[in-house]
Amino acid sequence: MQKAKKILKEIFGYDSFRPLQQEIIESIVNKKDCLVVMPTGGGKSLCYQIPALMFDGLTIVISPLISLMKDQVEQLRQLGVETALLNSSLSQKDYNLNFANVKSGKAKLLYLAPESLQKEDISNLLKSIKVDCITVDEAHCISEWGHDFRKDYRQLGNFKKSFSSAVCIGLTATATPRVQDDIIKNLNLNHPKKFIASFNRPNLFLQVIPKREPFQQTIDFLNEHKNQSGIIYCFSRKQVDSLHNNLSELGYSTKPYHAGLSDEERNKNQELFIKDEVQIIIATIAFGMGINKSNVRFVLHYDLPKNLESYYQEIGRSGRDGVRSDCLLLFSYADISKINYFIDQKEDERERLSAKVHLEAMIKYAETEICRRQPLINYFGELYKTDKCGMCDNCLAEEDESDKMDVTIYTQKFLSTLKRTGEVFGLNYIIDVLLGNDTDRILSNNHHNLSVFGVGKELTKKQWQILSHQLIRKEIVIRDNDYGSLKLSPLASDVLFNNKKVFGLIKEQESKKRKLKSIALEYDPKLFELLRVKRKQIADKKNIPPFVIFADSSLIQMATDFPQTENELLKISGVGVKKLESYGSTFLSIIKNYVKNNDVKLKTDKRTIRIQKPLLDEPRHRVVAKSYNGGSSINELAVEYNVQEQTIINHLARFTNEGNKIRIDGLLERVMVDKSKQTKVFDEFDENGTVSLKPIFEKFNSEISYDELSVLRVIYLNNQKK
Ligand code: ADP
Ligand code: ZN
């Protein structure tokens, strides 16, 4: 493995392996077949590329998409790795050149589409040389149960048999056990080791907001992401076209992508996007399969996706380089009805039912009040143990209780109205009753004679809407997603009859945009911009995509660490010897000039290391916690990372929650309440878990501050560990 590590650093420019990569490489090098299931962006390619460089013979990579292959081959060539591809898109001259490189043994890797295996020249070529490894990318295409079955994949099992000394690897991002079994069976994998990586993508920032003025909300979002690459997903072609027209009229750099366009136009638009000529692709779900652009910085869902699988796949197209990427979903109840309408058109009852179940899970995710990663990751069959990821809107919502008020009375009025009208009406009807509007429908139902008629005049229609959404999120009210009617949940009776208090927000402007704690920028955006422009110039000259030259993550790290020498540049993740040779002096001179002209103070070594780590390999909370255990105080760390102390404490909580111990003395000094109260708080944790502090805060009538409660939570979690 020493050799693998060396290749990782020297060729790829990375300091450490991502989870499972090392184990997978070991297994391949030892010629043990394996099945690798890893989410998009998890780093599957490296798993076979490093062994390919260690084997004497050839590594064949089967991949279904020619466009994807081209980028991969280009990326490897930029790293100085001899790579061949053989397919119909090549000119005769290029084809011959690639062919010769495989024959002579110069090429270490050969990329092929499955249909090429039947071509006689290729099959003869492969029989005449030593093949050490056969890698099947997108291996789920072999399964009829997968979402992307391809007939050409079926012959792979047979193909593989003629290379008895080659190890075979299936790679996929599709997790269902049924598809996994199919891959193993159809590929004839020999007692394969299964490697299943976590589906969590910690660098995606997840956010859901109510869709009110979607166009304006889109513009606001785009303005926060100037000069960045991103995808906007819409439900229909019509929506794609109109959004594209409206945005490009305002000067945004957009292109449409959907099945109604010609192949030629679609390919052109995709190419422009990959090359950073166009910043934003507006697309239906048809977009994204064939791209591995690593610097997609945001995904905006203009409409609600039909299920969590699609949603996860779509947001997964951002942030492959490991840099923070923003995923925003505009959520409305009207979209649910739209999707339901389409589901109802399906002939097959089983299909209808299954589609509804999937939609329900999607809605649950959108409405959740807890960390969004919990419903999301759990949905894929993996237990997500951390209670606060720190990278979703719910985790970062300012727990500023001053805005929240006791809304118990309003809630009771709302619930009574639901009950008195029979729990069969939608929101607008209920609000009309509350406001005392004598509409025809209300008169014909005789509801103007109910005691609740007109009891809610102290709030506006909008405020009632805001309140009702919160009640749905809190699961006090249940919305029937088929009919839109509202019902009471079992929790409602506590509010109606046991006077259980409800806290919420009903200020109109507050709910429009939730306040989120800001995440501090750690790099110099001006320098990043200069580097980005240079990268684009070089890419254009060479006619390759910019991210192939350097990933965004590398540029960001340069704009954080300001490397001054070749040696320092080599320390940047993604800079190996070949890239240093090709581009080192160009980028170094930009950085040096920038440092000189802007009087940038270079940081000490110690600090540089601390910053570069969380950005690329180790999650921030672990780095922080280790540093804390090493003696740094909470206050020092807050200053160092330019965040609030509370954030540092949350990092510590997450660290302990993952089963680690931390130093307790620095926490105890922050606890003011007496021992007996502490014990009571711990009892509450015992009983209700540590996910939410709010119930405890309320239980103690706001006597113990959130800050202190969160410290107690860390102490509690720490005590749980043996
Ligand atoms: P996948 O095929 O699983 O979608 P890729 O193989 O394309 O993912 O990898 C995603 C990105 O992560 C690429 O830019 C790759 O260079 C980068 N990467 C892979 N392994 C590492 C590592 N150990 N350290 C840093 N970056 C890595
Ligand atoms: Zn979260």
Side-chain angles (χ1 to χ4, degrees):
M1 282 323 275
Q2 224 39 43
K3 185 149 182 227
K5 268 235 148 102
K6 194 156 174 264
I7 295 175
L8 180 74
K9 180 69 202 162
E10 281 178 6
I11 309 276
F12 292 90
Y14 299 137
D15 287 325
S16 56
F17 286 111
R18 294 228 182 116
L20 293 184
Q21 283 180 331
Q22 185 160 355
E23 293 88 325
I24 296 167
I25 291 172
E26 226 170 305
S27 166
I28 298 176
V29 172
N30 291 324
K31 292 272 172 105
K32 291 217 162 55
D33 284 1
C34 48
L35 173 67
V36 175
V37 183
M38 234 187 227
T40 315
K44 289 188 280 296
S45 323
L46 213 80
C47 297
Y48 61 83
Q49 286 166 350
I50 288 185
L53 295 175
M54 298 167 71
F55 287 132
D56 300 333
L58 183 73
T59 293
I60 301 175
V61 185
I62 315 281
S63 168
L65 296 154
I66 291 184
S67 60
L68 218 139
M69 253 188 257
K70 252 176 36 195
D71 283 350
Q72 291 240 347
V73 169
E74 194 48 62
Q75 269 172 316
L76 285 167
R77 287 182 180 160
Q78 285 296 313
L79 296 170
V81 176
E82 281 289 349
T83 309
L85 91 163
L86 290 172
N87 66 38
S88 50
S89 77
L90 298 178
S91 68
Q92 193 60 43
K93 188 169 147 244
D94 279 344
Y95 190 93
N96 293 344
L97 195 69
N98 277 285
F99 199 95
N101 280 344
V102 176
K103 192 151 186 89
S104 68
K106 200 165 151 204
K108 301 302 293 175
L109 294 105
L110 167 63
Y111 282 77
L112 284 176
E115 59 271 19
S116 308
L117 300 176
Q118 291 181 331
K119 291 186 63 188
E120 211 178 316
D121 61 335
I122 293 183
S123 113
N124 288 338
L125 168 70
L126 296 179
K127 276 180 205 147
S128 71
I129 57 169
K130 181 170 184 227
V131 176
D132 270 323
C133 175
I134 298 172
T135 293
V136 180
D137 206 1
E138 314 284 349
H140 58 271
C141 293
I142 208 169
S143 166
E144 280 166 28
W145 299 107
H147 51 77
D148 197 23
F149 174 61
R150 290 173 193 237
K151 273 221 292 295
D152 286 319
Y153 260 64
R154 268 295 155 88
Q155 23 137 352
L156 290 178
N158 251 335
F159 166 77
K160 187 205 131 200
K161 280 189 194 144
S162 28
F163 301 92
S164 56
S165 67
V167 58
C168 184
I169 308 134
L171 303 169
T172 178
T174 307
T176 71
R178 190 167 203 174
V179 173
Q180 290 171 21
D181 290 344
D182 247 16
I183 295 174
I184 292 176
K185 197 174 88 210
N186 294 327
L187 267 186
N188 286 319
L189 294 183
N190 181 17
H191 298 293
K193 264 187 113 148
K194 270 203 218 177
F195 295 97
I196 300 181
S198 165
F199 264 61
N200 187 22
R201 298 274 312 276
N203 61 316
L204 304 189
F205 185 84
L206 309 175
Q207 188 179 6
V208 181
I209 59 174
K211 179 168 168 180
R212 295 194 206 281
E213 298 145 343
F215 187 63
Q216 188 55 45
Q217 288 171 311
T218 301
I219 289 181
D220 292 345
F221 181 76
L222 294 180
N223 290 346
E224 287 166 16
H225 294 86
K226 291 214 174 86
N227 292 328
Q228 296 183 348
S229 247
I231 309 172
I232 303 179
Y233 283 107
C234 300
F235 189 71
S236 67
R237 300 175 194 182
K238 216 172 91 198
Q239 183 66 264
V240 167
D241 288 333
S242 98
L243 194 58
H244 160 62
N245 289 335
N246 293 336
L247 284 174
S248 60
E249 227 163 66
L250 290 179
Y252 291 91
S253 162
T254 67
K255 284 284 177 214
Y257 189 103
H258 58 64
L261 301 173
S262 67
D263 281 357
E264 197 187 359
E265 187 157 9
R266 273 210 310 268
N267 290 340
K268 194 185 77 200
N269 291 350
Q270 171 167 318
E271 191 74 12
L272 288 171
F273 179 62
I274 289 177
K275 294 202 163 155
D276 288 348
E277 296 281 333
V278 161
Q279 265 159 15
I280 304 157
I281 280 283
I282 306 175
T284 53
I285 48 170
F287 181 76
M289 254 301 274
I291 64 163
N292 67 350
K293 181 173 162 66
S294 73
N295 62 334
V296 177
R297 288 276 72 85
F298 64 85
V299 170
L300 170 65
H301 278 94
Y302 197 85
D303 299 304
L304 186 71
K306 292 192 211 48
N307 52 52
L308 275 176
E309 284 93 342
S310 325
Y311 172 72
Y312 200 61
Q313 219 171 47
E314 285 155 14
I315 61 172
R317 294 187 176 125
S318 65
R320 277 162 165 256
D321 51 12
V323 176
R324 175 197 160 120
S325 305
D326 283 311
C327 308
L328 176 67
L329 163 65
L330 303 181
F331 174 60
S332 81
Y333 291 103
D335 282 351
I336 301 178
S337 311
K338 241 194 312 194
I339 296 175
N340 263 323
Y341 174 81
F342 280 95
I343 294 179
D344 288 336
Q345 311 297 308
K346 289 184 193 281
E347 301 265 308
D348 186 90
E349 166 150 14
R350 269 201 353 245
E351 258 181 59
R352 272 202 309 272
L353 261 168
S354 139
K356 295 225 162 167
V357 171
H358 285 113
L359 176 61
E360 288 289 336
M362 184 69 230
I363 298 169
K364 262 225 144 73
Y365 166 81
E367 287 182 331
T368 189
E369 283 197 320
I370 58 172
C371 173
R372 294 203 187 274
R373 285 192 156 69
Q374 303 213 2
L376 190 62
I377 309 291
N378 292 343
Y379 181 79
F380 294 102
E382 183 183 328
L383 194 63
Y384 188 70
K385 294 191 213 92
T386 317
D387 44 72
K388 288 217 167 202
C389 71
M391 276 292 279
C392 76
D393 50 357
N394 288 344
C395 284
L396 283 199
E398 294 272 10
E399 286 193 81
D400 183 1
E401 295 302 305
S402 62
D403 288 336
K404 286 210 172 172
M405 51 184 280
D406 184 341
V407 292
T408 314
I409 302 279
Y410 305 125
T411 305
Q412 286 170 340
K413 288 183 178 180
F414 190 88
L415 299 177
S416 311
T417 307
L418 277 190
K419 203 169 161 67
R420 296 290 165 83
T421 51
E423 303 183 50
V424 290
F425 293 98
L427 181 59
N428 287 332
Y429 188 92
I430 302 295
I431 295 179
D432 276 335
V433 175
L434 281 160
L435 294 177
N437 296 335
D438 45 7
T439 64
D440 291 347
R441 253 177 109 201
I442 289 182
L443 292 175
S444 72
N445 288 326
N446 218 5
H447 284 158
H448 59 297
N449 286 326
L450 292 176
S451 59
V452 289
F453 186 72
V455 294
K457 288 185 179 153
E458 66 270 47
L459 298 187
T460 63
K461 177 168 183 178
K462 187 114 199 191
Q463 286 178 307
W464 281 116
Q465 285 171 345
I466 292 169
L467 177 69
S468 72
H469 290 165
Q470 292 173 49
L471 298 180
I472 292 171
R473 281 206 299 271
K474 291 181 195 296
E475 297 185 9
I476 296 172
V477 169
I478 299 169
R479 184 180 187 280
D480 181 314
N481 290 321
D482 278 341
Y483 303 106
S485 58
L486 303 179
K487 294 188 171 33
L488 303 180
S489 85
L491 295 179
S493 58
D494 273 350
V495 182
L496 275 176
F497 308 117
N498 300 334
N499 225 2
K500 184 178 160 59
K501 294 246 176 282
V502 183
F503 291 85
L505 293 169
I506 47 171
K507 276 196 226 154
E508 286 193 18
Q509 70 279 22
E510 274 309 325
S511 68
K512 245 191 186 160
K513 199 161 182 191
R514 250 169 112 192
K515 269 195 279 171
L516 295 185
K517 289 176 198 158
S518 62
I519 299 181
L521 270 190
E522 287 169 337
Y523 62 95
D524 187 320
K526 285 206 206 98
L527 175 57
F528 175 77
E529 202 42 37
L530 293 175
L531 299 171
R532 194 178 70 83
V533 169
K534 177 49 84 184
R535 175 178 70 175
K536 174 82 180 119
Q537 278 172 5
I538 301 175
D540 284 350
K541 236 191 254 153
K542 301 196 158 191
N543 197 23
I544 54 179
F547 67 86
V548 167
I549 295 184
F550 281 126
D552 274 16
S553 50
S554 301
L555 299 191
I556 286 177
Q557 215 185 344
M558 291 179 203
T560 307
D561 293 356
F562 307 101
Q564 298 292 299
T565 62
E566 292 201 339
N567 255 339
E568 284 175 9
L569 194 59
L570 267 179
K571 286 195 186 134
I572 302 287
S573 179
V575 183
V577 282
K578 181 73 187 176
K579 292 225 169 142
L580 180 74
E581 189 188 305
S582 312
Y583 310 116
S585 60
T586 312
F587 283 80
L588 272 178
S589 80
I590 295 178
I591 301 168
K592 280 199 228 165
N593 266 333
Y594 183 83
V595 166
K596 200 168 82 206
N597 296 337
N598 293 281
D599 228 1
V600 176
K601 287 201 190 54
L602 296 176
K603 297 158 197 149
T604 63
D605 265 2
K606 192 167 155 223
R607 188 178 163 108
T608 310
I609 289 162
R610 278 192 184 171
I611 286 184
Q612 88 189 45
K613 284 289 176 199
L615 199 61
L616 291 151
D617 342 273
E618 199 163 21
R620 160 73 65 91
H621 68 281
R622 281 192 222 144
V623 180
V624 166
K626 284 181 188 167
S627 183
Y628 168 82
N629 276 346
S632 304
S633 75
I634 290 173
N635 176 269
E636 280 164 9
L637 288 165
V639 172
E640 177 174 345
Y641 288 97
N642 193 19
V643 295
Q644 298 191 350
E645 294 189 356
Q646 191 52 44
T647 308
I648 300 295
I649 295 171
N650 289 342
H651 285 324
L652 299 181
R654 201 171 152 195
F655 187 70
T656 46
N657 204 33
E658 286 172 358
N660 305 300
K661 270 271 187 202
I662 57 160
R663 177 166 75 80
I664 211 80
D665 50 336
L667 288 170
L668 288 176
E669 66 195 28
R670 295 180 164 250
V671 178
M672 304 297 163
V673 297
D674 58 43
K675 270 265 164 345
S676 77
K677 274 228 178 78
Q678 284 181 33
T679 315
K680 280 194 191 132
V681 171
F682 291 155
D683 288 345
E684 288 292 323
F685 284 137
D686 272 339
E687 198 158 317
N688 299 317
T690 53
V691 175
S692 174
L693 297 176
K694 205 162 85 200
I696 306 184
F697 180 76
E698 283 162 12
K699 184 139 190 175
F700 288 90
N701 294 321
S702 324
E703 276 169 31
I704 312 178
S705 70
Y706 268 96
D707 284 1
E708 208 167 332
L709 282 176
S710 63
V711 172
L712 288 171
R713 169 161 64 185
V714 184
I715 296 175
Y716 171 83
L717 288 169
N718 204 48
N719 289 342
Q720 302 295 93
K721 316 293 168 226
K722 293 282 151 7

